[in-house]
Amino acid sequence: MKKLKIIYWVITGIMVAMLGLGSIFDAISAPEAVTYVTKLGYPAHIVPFLGVAKLLGIIAILIPGYPRIKEWAYAGLTFDLLGALYSHISNGDPASTWIFIFIPILLVAGSYIFYHKLQEMAKGETATYAPQL
């Protein structure tokens, strides 16, 4: 269990650092973030919305408990990243531009998988130590 927790927190920590930094720039509508998103054909007013939504998703993942909200947060981050990947590919951007989007996608997937492994182990331990009637 301890090894799984360490792996989960390392993957989740890297994911939070990567996505959190970008979402802060989005949330404050940094000129670089606005330029990046508008180059893909989206309106500038979507940038702070996406930034705040990603920050809320990251907070939901980090706060203990609330498994249903965590599921939605993982889904939202995945949709955001897959949408960014699709936008780059459909915009005709070279692979060198969008290939790095796979890193946060893999981090979100890894965090999600290890979160569920920890949940399963916790359920198993609860069942093992529950008093028998």
Side-chain angles (χ1 to χ4, degrees):
M1 177 91 157
K2 185 176 181 179
K3 180 179 168 184
L4 281 179
K5 278 186 180 181
I6 291 171
I7 294 170
Y8 167 75
W9 281 111
V10 167
I11 292 172
T12 303
I14 295 169
M15 176 195 77
V16 165
M18 286 184 78
L19 295 178
L21 185 62
S23 63
I24 290 170
F25 285 113
D26 290 347
I28 63 171
S29 291
E32 298 85 5
V34 173
T35 302
Y36 186 77
V37 172
T38 55
K39 183 184 79 112
L40 293 172
Y42 295 102
H45 65 268
I46 197 80
V47 177
F49 171 78
L50 290 175
V52 171
K54 284 188 269 189
L55 283 173
L56 290 173
I58 289 168
I59 290 168
I61 289 170
L62 291 176
I63 292 176
Y66 307 103
R68 186 163 308 220
I69 294 174
K70 283 185 192 301
E71 291 288 330
W72 281 94
Y74 279 116
L77 292 174
T78 302
F79 295 148
D80 176 68
L81 292 167
L82 291 176
L85 178 63
Y86 177 79
S87 295
H88 280 289
I89 292 171
S90 66
N91 198 35
D93 293 344
S96 61
T97 305
W98 52 263
I99 195 76
F100 294 106
I101 296 175
F102 282 107
I103 295 169
I105 289 172
L106 292 174
L107 288 170
V108 170
S111 176
Y112 180 80
I113 289 167
F114 279 99
Y115 167 71
H116 278 282
K117 285 185 179 193
L118 286 172
Q119 294 300 101
E120 288 173 17
M121 287 190 80
K123 285 180 186 176
E125 286 180 2
T126 303
T128 305
Y129 298 116
Q132 302 295 320
L133 300 177

